[in-house]
Amino acid sequence: MHKLRQKYLLLIEDAYNYRQIDHSLSDIAEYRSIKILNRINELKFVVKDTQYN
């Protein structure tokens, strides 16, 4: 999960930096970061769910 978080943070930074240069690249980076964030949240849910069983 640590690698996913690093990739997420990098994509957020890229989206912010691209915003001044190319809006489409910014949107792509933001979309990818959202997909990764959703995956991170899914993994957190699974880990929490298995801890209670």
Side-chain angles (χ1 to χ4, degrees), residues 4-46:
L4 282 176
R5 182 153 174 76
Q6 285 180 328
K7 189 167 184 172
Y8 166 75
L9 293 174
L10 180 65
L11 284 168
I12 288 294
E13 184 178 348
D14 285 348
Y16 176 78
N17 291 334
Y18 287 143
R19 193 168 294 144
Q20 302 301 319
I21 301 167
D22 187 340
H23 290 285
S24 62
L25 287 176
S26 176
D27 290 345
I28 291 168
E30 186 174 358
Y31 173 77
R32 289 180 178 166
S33 69
I34 290 169
K35 298 275 284 180
I36 291 174
L37 182 60
N38 285 338
R39 183 68 179 141
I40 290 169
N41 288 334
E42 288 172 2
L43 290 171
K44 283 182 181 178
F45 177 78
V46 169

